[in-house]
Amino acid sequence: MKEAMLAAPLGDDVFGEDPTVNALEEKVAALLAMEAALFVPSGTMGNLICVLNHSRMRGSEVLVGHLSHIHLWEQGGVSQLGGVHPRTLKNLPDGTFDLREMRQLVRGENVHWPVTSLVCIENTHNMVGGKVLPLTWLDQLGSACRELGLPIHMDGARLFNAAAALQVPASRIVRDCASVSVCLSKGLGAPIGSVVAGSKDFIYGAKRLRKVLGGGMRQSGVLAAAGIYALDHVVPTLPRDHAYVQDIARAITQCGGVIVRCDPSGAHTNILVLECDPEVVTPMRICQRMAEVTDEEEAALGERVIVRMLSLTDTAIRLVVHCDLTHDDIQSLIKKFQYVIKEFESQSGR
C-alpha cells in the first residue's frame, strides 16, 4: 500500500486534476453502480455532506436510527452545522427499524412541523455488533421510501464487509439508496478517507459542500492510491477477518460466560461485542487489563501480548478484527483472553 502511495501520479484535486483521485472515484462509482463519486477526508464528513445535500431547505428533518453512528458519534453535526433536525427510530437488535414506525414518523404538511427530507441507515451496523442489514428488509425499505417520495442515505462505512458476508456485490445492497458513504480506513486498512457516491447532480452538490467544510485537498492522490489498493487487495480478504471473529467468539463462549459473554451467531462480520456484568468487572477494567502484560502472564503464555479494545457502554466491549492480523495473532489473542478471564474469575471467587 505504501509503495502504491509513493508511485501515485498526482495533480490538484480541487480542480479535478488528480488522476489517482479521479481513478478512485470512478472505481467506487462503478462498484456501487452509481453515476459518480467523491473522495472525502472522513466518514463523518461524508455522512454530513450527504445529509446536508439531501436537506437543502432549513427546517428539514432526517429520520435516523437511535443507535446510528450519525446520531451518536458525529457530534450532532447535521443540526450543529446544517440546521437539520434528527428524528430517531428505534433500532432493533439486527440494526433495522420498524417500517410501520418509520411511516408514522414521516411528517405531513403542517406549518408547525419540520419537513421530512431523508431516511438514513447504517450497514454494517456498528452499535449492534457489526450486523448486516437483511436484503429483504432493504428491499422493503426501498419500496416504502419510493412510495413516500423520500431518498435513502446509507452510512456504508463497512459496506464491503456487508457485501462479503452476504456474498453479493456491494451495488446490490445500495440499489435503492440515493447516496452512500463508504470508508477506506476501517476494515480496508487505508490510512485515511471515505468516498461518497450518488448521481452526477448529487456529487456536484457534494463537491460544493466538501469545499465549504474544508475538505478540499490538493495532491490527494497519494491518499487515494491507498484506497485503490485497499479495494483491489484487502476487500477480497474480508471473509478471513469474519472467520477470525468467529474463532474468538467460540473460544470466549467455551470459557463459560461468567465474566464475559458473546453470541457467535450474532457476529456477522469483523466486529464482536462482548457483554459483561459490571458488578463483577467493568468493561473498562477488562479493556485496561487486556492492554497490560504481567510477569506472571508472560511466564505462563511465553509471549507478551497487548490487545486494544473499546469500552462501548457500561456493559459492553467492542472488539474489531483488522486486515493486518494473522492467524497466529488471533491465537495469541485467544490465549491471552482465556488467561485474563480465568484471572478475573479467581479474583471474584466465581
Side-chain angles (χ1 to χ4, degrees):
M1 185 180 284
K2 289 179 180 178
E3 291 173 357
M5 295 169 73
L6 289 171
L10 305 177
D12 191 331
D13 182 50
V14 170
F15 293 100
E17 297 173 354
D18 190 301
T20 309
V21 172
N22 293 341
L24 171 65
E25 292 171 345
E26 291 168 5
K27 186 178 190 70
V28 172
L31 286 170
L32 303 183
M34 297 281 189
E35 289 183 352
L38 182 69
F39 184 45
V40 298
S42 71
T44 294
M45 183 181 286
N47 284 332
L48 178 61
I49 284 171
C50 288
V51 173
L52 300 191
N53 209 16
H54 285 296
S55 310
R56 291 284 180 170
M57 183 177 71
R58 291 190 68 83
S60 295
E61 182 174 75
V62 56
L63 301 181
V64 295
H66 82 294
L67 295 177
S68 67
H69 197 278
I70 289 174
H71 183 60
L72 291 181
W73 299 107
E74 297 182 6
Q75 210 183 103
V78 298
S79 56
Q80 184 178 170
L81 301 178
V84 177
H85 181 253
R87 195 176 195 193
T88 57
L89 294 148
K90 182 181 179 181
N91 280 120
L92 302 174
D94 64 353
T96 66
F97 45 75
D98 189 323
L99 297 182
R100 291 171 298 179
E101 181 189 2
M102 183 193 76
R103 288 177 178 274
Q104 292 167 0
L105 294 187
V106 174
R107 304 282 190 173
E109 180 57 41
N110 188 310
V111 71
H112 300 90
W113 294 341
V115 176
T116 307
S117 62
L118 179 66
V119 175
C120 292
I121 55 177
E122 183 177 332
N123 200 11
T124 65
H125 201 294
N126 176 38
M127 288 296 289
V128 298
K131 286 188 173 64
V132 179
L133 301 185
L135 287 176
T136 53
W137 183 83
L138 288 171
D139 292 343
Q140 292 166 1
L141 173 68
S143 178
C145 286
R146 281 192 297 274
E147 181 183 331
L148 294 165
L150 290 175
I152 301 169
H153 168 65
M154 180 179 289
D155 174 1
R158 297 176 177 86
L159 174 64
F160 291 105
N161 289 92
L166 292 172
Q167 299 182 9
V168 299
S171 58
R172 167 64 180 90
I173 298 173
V174 302
R175 70 181 184 185
D176 288 320
C177 297
S179 62
V180 58
S181 176
V182 296
C183 190
L184 302 171
S185 64
K186 293 283 195 308
L188 304 192
I192 188 173
S194 287
V195 182
V196 168
S199 69
K200 289 181 180 179
D201 288 343
F202 184 87
I203 294 303
Y204 173 77
K207 187 172 290 188
R208 289 186 57 85
L209 286 164
R210 183 186 69 173
K211 183 63 178 174
V212 77
L213 292 173
M217 299 182 286
R218 299 295 180 175
Q219 287 74 35
S220 50
V222 68
L223 303 174
I228 293 173
Y229 182 93
L231 292 170
D232 288 341
H233 298 279
V234 181
V235 167
T237 71
L238 292 178
R240 178 201 61 194
D241 295 346
H242 300 175
Y244 285 162
V245 165
Q246 288 298 311
D247 291 342
I248 299 167
R250 285 191 294 267
I252 292 173
T253 300
Q254 289 168 4
C255 290
V258 176
I259 298 298
V260 294
R261 304 176 305 279
C262 66
D263 176 17
S265 67
H268 296 173
T269 53
N270 66 325
I271 296 175
L272 179 64
V273 172
L274 309 174
E275 293 288 340
C276 64
D277 181 352
E279 293 186 2
V280 178
V281 60
T282 65
M284 182 65 73
R285 179 65 192 112
I286 293 177
C287 291
Q288 290 171 344
R289 177 62 185 87
M290 290 293 288
E292 302 167 350
V293 180
T294 66
D295 292 340
E296 295 80 4
E297 172 193 334
E298 183 179 6
L301 301 183
E303 58 183 345
R304 298 179 63 85
V305 178
I306 290 175
V307 180
R308 307 188 74 174
M309 305 184 301
L310 178 66
S311 177
L312 197 61
T313 69
D314 290 341
T315 62
I317 298 166
R318 188 187 72 165
L319 185 152
V320 180
V321 170
H322 61 79
C323 61
D324 291 326
L325 295 175
T326 66
H327 174 78
D328 289 344
D329 293 330
I330 299 302
Q331 296 309 305
S332 294
L333 181 158
I334 288 171
K335 287 193 296 183
K336 181 184 178 85
F337 222 128
Q338 290 171 335
Y339 180 91
V340 169
I341 288 173
K342 290 179 181 178
E343 183 179 85
F344 279 123
E345 286 177 346
S346 175
Q347 293 170 0
S348 66
R350 299 294 180 104

